[in-house]
Amino acid sequence: MARKTLIAGNWKMNGLKKDAKALAGGLARKMAALRKKGGRANFEMLICPPFPLLGLAAEAVKGSGIRVGAQDCHAEASGAHTGDTSAQLIKNAGASYAIVGHSERRTDHAETDREIKAKAEAALAAGLKVIVCIGETLKERKAGQTLNVNRKQLRGSLPAGATAANTVIAYEPVWAIGTGQVATPEQAQEVHAAIRKALKSKLGPAEAGKMRILYGGSMKPGNADELLSQPDIDGGLIGGASLTVKDFWGIAEAV
Ligand code: PGA
């Protein structure tokens, strides 16, 4: 089943306007250079800057094929929610994706599977595609709970109406995020295969076979190749290494 590899950058709370312009513009120029050489990207590229930089990033990548996404969205379409951002506004700012359920939001903002599901549904209702993040902690892994935890989070946070066209899953073991301690290709593949199996029973074999499952957690140019060559790893959700053109493009080159 052909699944187009998605290379997604999660900038987290990093960068100012000038950095976003340089990074998004630099990636757009790489894409243009690839095209000029007669090449066609065999991957889809996505950058997810902080909210206030969405419009600027969308402008900087215009015409390059690179997509822009947000790192979160609110579950309601509008209303009295000080400090929050609606999926509609994210779309209006020029983005086409929203990440929901990142472990940093699950931890820092005590987000539950139920809330994440509602956010994902709001994103779909606004016409965005959604990246639903799941992943176990080191404690859960050590307790032999890895597959159970991931299946439970997947069950709880997968939006109603999820299809391979509008939903992407990101497996991000919490112990691998920002630590430099990357999951081995075998560890990652084991969980990705279990996620696909769970998707099969929920959505049927056709959708599950087409749905992309990204790996996230200390992915770098040096380890991307072996991770991305696993049968059920369909791309990466990249934090630290998405903050420079050299590293992020280096990961895309591994596809
Ligand atoms: P990292 O972050 O690549 O810096 O480990 C990944 C993520 O949290 O999405």
Side-chain angles (χ1 to χ4, degrees), residues 10 12 102 104 172 176-179 216-219 237-241:
N10 174 11
K12 309 194 179 184
H102 190 280
E104 284 150 20
E172 299 205 306
I177 295 178
T179 58
S218 298
M219 190 185 269
L237 182 55
I238 299 127

Side-chain angles (χ1 to χ4, degrees), residues 186-247:
E186 295 73 27
Q187 282 175 324
Q189 169 56 26
E190 183 195 16
V191 181
H192 280 238
I195 292 170
R196 196 168 314 279
K197 193 163 168 225
L199 287 171
K200 242 176 229 168
S201 65
K202 188 132 179 110
L203 306 173
E207 283 311 307
K210 285 186 283 185
M211 191 171 280
R212 292 177 293 183
I213 308 174
L214 313 183
Y215 168 80
S218 298
M219 190 185 269
K220 307 236 158 3
N223 59 31
D225 184 28
E226 50 177 13
L227 286 160
L228 294 173
S229 56
Q230 295 299 310
D232 287 295
I233 301 186
D234 310 311
L237 182 55
I238 299 127
S242 73
L243 296 175
T244 66
V245 174
K246 187 169 171 274
D247 283 348

